[in-house]
Amino acid sequence: NAGVTQTPKFRILKIGQSMTLQCTQDMNHNYMYWYRQDPGMGLKLIYYSVGAGITDKGEVPNGYNVSRSTTEDFPLRLELAAPSQTSVYFCASSRGTGRYEQYFGPGTRLTVT
Amino acid sequence: EDKVVQSPLSLVVHEGDTVTLNCSYEVTNFRSLLWYKQEKKAPTFLFMLTSSGIEKKSGRLSSILDKKELFSILNITATQTGDSAVYLCAVETNRDDKIIFGKGTRLHILP
């Protein structure tokens, strides 16, 4: 059981480049989340999804896009990378809310220069 | 605006000491409060609290929620160097199914 997997683990982007962070879970969870964590800070919610075909903005959605075409996958897209997007990105999933914990992927460390 | 505030932001103690980490929150439509431990990589789940006054316990860690005063504490007794980590508090809301994280408490245990 792989849980939540993220790729790549590390990436360096130039300003203005685009990329997609991949996230896959094999637990058949309905809920999936993308967070970013800046140095010395807590996690901030970027986007989340309550099921295939349904996505919604979190706290810091600007500069990002998501899609949820399947239950398993929840990719995060950066269209025009900016230095402010240098961060560690975590994907998480949960069966639901209220009674269910979130399972986190290992993270993607992104540097934009 | 919904917010979760953790204190202290950092803490250094000696092995064997007992520590108490605090988490206060102001959110509309509270659903649950969660504690996570984050070492070098992704956070790992510790506790989920939904009811006031009921202590959750796991080994040397315990946590309790006060929904009237809007806070939770995480206690660690007989600390060990392996407890060194960032401890994150998060609150789930019924409004838009959102989760708000605090900035975390960085705990360092000296041998």
Side-chain angles (χ1 to χ4, degrees):
Chain A
N1 212 353
V4 180
T5 57
Q6 289 182 238
T7 56
K9 289 185 180 177
F10 305 95
R11 183 73 187 267
I12 299 174
L13 280 183
K14 292 191 188 312
I15 293 170
Q17 286 185 319
S18 300
M19 78 163 293
T20 300
L21 282 67
Q22 302 292 345
C23 175
T24 300
Q25 52 93 7
D26 62 0
M27 297 173 281
N28 203 33
H29 285 169
N30 285 324
Y31 284 67
M32 295 187 75
Y33 312 83
W34 273 107
Y35 296 94
R36 59 176 287 173
Q37 186 174 35
D38 299 329
M41 304 290 284
L43 296 163
K44 292 197 172 179
L45 183 65
I46 306 171
Y47 270 95
Y48 66 102
S49 167
V50 302
I54 307 169
T55 62
D56 207 348
K57 295 178 181 179
E59 190 181 359
V60 289
N62 292 342
Y64 307 94
N65 274 304
V66 292
S67 59
R68 184 95 181 270
S69 56
T70 66
T71 300
E72 295 77 22
D73 301 306
F74 190 40
L76 177 72
R77 178 92 179 146
L78 283 72
E79 289 294 347
L80 291 169
S84 61
Q85 292 177 304
T86 294
S87 191
V88 179
Y89 291 83
F90 289 103
C91 177
S93 74
S94 65
R95 189 180 299 178
T97 60
R99 294 184 290 127
Y100 304 105
E101 66 180 275
Q102 290 185 55
Y103 294 81
F104 284 82
T108 295
R109 184 175 295 276
L110 176 67
T111 303
V112 182
T113 61
Chain B
E1 184 185 338
D2 295 336
K3 62 180 180 180
V4 176
V5 178
Q6 291 186 244
S7 64
L9 288 181
S10 67
L11 186 58
V12 181
V13 299
H14 285 95
E15 211 167 17
D17 288 351
T18 293
V19 297
T20 299
L21 310 183
N22 303 293
C23 176
S24 63
Y25 61 92
E26 291 178 30
V27 301
T28 50
N29 300 311
F30 172 90
R31 177 181 283 161
S32 64
L33 185 143
L34 306 104
W35 283 98
Y36 290 87
K37 177 182 182 182
Q38 185 175 21
E39 296 175 86
K40 290 185 180 172
K41 289 250 178 167
T44 53
F45 175 80
L46 294 175
F47 299 111
M48 176 182 284
L49 304 156
T50 55
S51 302
S52 266
I54 299 174
E55 185 183 53
K56 295 241 176 149
K57 202 168 170 62
S58 176
R60 296 176 294 103
L61 278 67
S62 64
S63 183
I64 198 161
L65 173 68
D66 186 329
K67 287 167 78 172
K68 185 180 174 186
E69 299 297 331
L70 308 183
F71 78 91
S72 173
I73 59 171
L74 175 68
N75 270 326
I76 309 174
T77 59
T79 52
Q80 302 170 358
T81 54
D83 296 327
S84 294
V86 174
Y87 290 84
L88 294 166
C89 172
V91 172
E92 248 185 342
T93 74
N94 285 315
R95 184 169 62 91
D96 300 332
D97 290 322
K98 283 186 180 172
I99 297 175
I100 304 133
F101 278 81
K103 291 185 179 181
T105 293
R106 185 173 296 276
L107 177 64
H108 186 63
I109 311 296
L110 298 170

